[in-house]
């Protein structure tokens, strides 16, 4: 028998003039209706031939939101994220269906701005899912999530992934590559589930938790253990991808050193140009006698014209 106690403290319920929720499980349905956060009708559990799932309907409170309107483009982007995080789940919004069969792999595919260098690496574990690829770009692009929340500013989980990804790649190739070369061009999505997460702001855009659960394994150790097992196994089994990955690292290293050489040459030339400018004079070091003591002084002359 379905026995659910509906206790809605969600902001949507509190800020709606009408809110209705329907939960269908194993041939039974439970319905509750609210107004401005207060329950108005608590329907009894009834038989249902509908599919398992939850439906929510609400009308924003016009006394709070004057002349409100929904921005479908923004809502659809959020719903796609939920679909990616719950592979196989179908979300229906105004008649449009949102469904992903491959989770975060589909997220990367949909958001890639250019062709990936190799097929997306998609690995899963208990309470963690990761999708990785590289492009010919030079930056780093991340889509990180905690308990379904899109952390646009990253946080401890994203930082732990960046650091541990470098360690696993170095250990695999047994080369001390620079971190910037290993991550250059990376496009990645990482989602973790955390018990009692702590965020750095009310907007929940940046995770601050250092542990996967209170008094449990650290976020860094949790992600490192996962990558050392799943990513390392994947690389050993897919030699074609590892070759492309190493080629990308070496290319990034070569380009970085070439750019550093060009920058050094430009600085040297600029320095020489200044020294040969007749209107500029070096600040010379002078030995001066101040109260019969020799001291070094540097004199700067600021002049106008020749």
């Amino acid at each position: 028998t379905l026995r659910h106690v509906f206790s809605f403290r969600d902001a949507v319920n509190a800020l709606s003039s009408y809110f209705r929720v329907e939960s269908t499980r194993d041939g039974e349905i439970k319905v509750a209706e609210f107004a401005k956060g207060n329950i108005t009708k608590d329907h009894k559990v009834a038989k249902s031939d509908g599919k398992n799932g939850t439906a929510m309907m609400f009308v924003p409170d016009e006394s709070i939101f004057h002349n409100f309107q929904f921005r479908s483009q923004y809502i659809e982007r959020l719903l796609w994220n939920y679909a990616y995080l719950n592979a196989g789940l179908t979300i229906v919004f105004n008649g449009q269906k949102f469904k992903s069969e491959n989770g975060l792999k589909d997220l990367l595919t949909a958001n890639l701005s250019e062709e990936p260098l190799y097929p997306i690496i998609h690995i899963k574990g208990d309470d963690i899912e990761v999708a990785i690829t590289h492009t010919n770009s030079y930056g780093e692009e991340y889509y990180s999530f905690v308990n379904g929340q899109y952390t646009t500013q990253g946080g401890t989980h994203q930082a732990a992934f960046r650091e541990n990804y470098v360690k696993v790649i170095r250990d695999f190739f047994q080369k001390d590559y620079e971190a910037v070369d290993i991550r250059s061009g990376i496009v990645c999505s990482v989602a973790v589930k955390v018990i009692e997460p702590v965020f750095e702001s009310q907007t929940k855009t940046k995770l601050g938790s250092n542990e996967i659960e209170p008094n449990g394994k650290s976020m860094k150790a949790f992600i490192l253990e996962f990558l050392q097992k799943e990513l390392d196994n994947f690389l050993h089994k897919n030699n074609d991808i590892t070759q492309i990955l190493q080629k990308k690292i070496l290319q990034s290293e070569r380009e970085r050193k070439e750019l550093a050489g060009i920058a050094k040459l430009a600085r040297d030339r600029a320095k020489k140009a200044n020294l040969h400018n007749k209107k500029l004079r070096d600040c010379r070091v002078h030995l001066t006698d101040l109260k019969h003591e020799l001291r070094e002084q540097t004199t700067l002359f600021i002049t106008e014209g020749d």
Side-chain angles (χ1 to χ4, degrees), residues 8 20 35 66 87 109 158 160 175 193 199 250 263 293 303:
F8 290 96
R20 176 187 173 97
H66 305 287
T109 301
Q158 184 171 309
K175 298 284 186 180
K193 294 179 181 177
F199 295 92
L250 295 174
E293 294 182 8
T303 62

Side-chain angles (χ1 to χ4, degrees), residues 152-167:
T152 55
Q153 296 183 11
T156 53
H157 58 318
Q158 184 171 309
F161 172 83
R162 293 178 73 246
E163 179 180 348
N164 291 318
Y165 175 75
V166 170
K167 175 175 174 53

Side-chain angles (χ1 to χ4, degrees), residues 74-93 96-108 110-111 122 124 129 145 147-150 189 191:
Y74 177 74
I75 295 173
E76 289 171 6
R77 186 165 63 249
L78 293 176
L79 294 180
W80 270 122
N81 283 341
Y82 288 126
Y84 295 137
L85 292 168
N86 299 275
L89 173 68
T90 300
I91 301 175
V92 181
F93 171 66
Q96 182 180 352
K97 292 185 178 181
F98 299 81
K99 184 177 182 179
S100 168
E101 295 291 349
N102 303 299
L104 295 186
K105 180 180 180 181
D106 289 341
L107 184 150
L108 284 199
N111 287 279
H122 188 206
K124 295 181 180 181
E129 180 181 357
F145 302 86
N147 297 358
Q149 175 68 35
Y150 182 22
S189 181

Side-chain angles (χ1 to χ4, degrees), residues 226-241:
F226 169 73
L227 292 177
Q228 283 180 327
K229 178 182 177 182
E230 300 298 336
L231 180 58
D232 186 76
N233 286 344
F234 181 93
L235 294 175
H236 275 98
K237 295 176 182 179
N238 295 271
N239 187 56
D240 53 339
I241 292 180

Side-chain angles (χ1 to χ4, degrees), residues 10 42 88 90 111 135 137 146 170 187 208 220 238 254 260 266 274 290:
D10 188 274
D42 186 8
T90 300
N111 287 279
T135 66
S137 62
V146 177
R170 284 174 175 168
V187 183
K220 182 177 179 180
N238 295 271
R254 182 171 61 255
N274 287 338
L290 297 177

Side-chain angles (χ1 to χ4, degrees), residues 122-135:
H122 188 206
I123 49 180
K124 295 181 180 181
D126 293 335
D127 299 327
I128 185 170
E129 180 181 357
V130 172
I132 311 167
T133 191
H134 279 76
T135 66

Side-chain angles (χ1 to χ4, degrees), residues 39-40 91 97 106 125 139 148-149 166 168 180 196 203 215 234 237 242 256 296 299:
I39 192 164
T40 57
I91 301 175
K97 292 185 178 181
D106 289 341
Q149 175 68 35
V166 170
V168 171
V180 65
E196 298 182 17
T203 56
N215 300 317
F234 181 93
K237 295 176 182 179
T242 61
R256 175 177 57 81
E296 291 187 357
T299 305

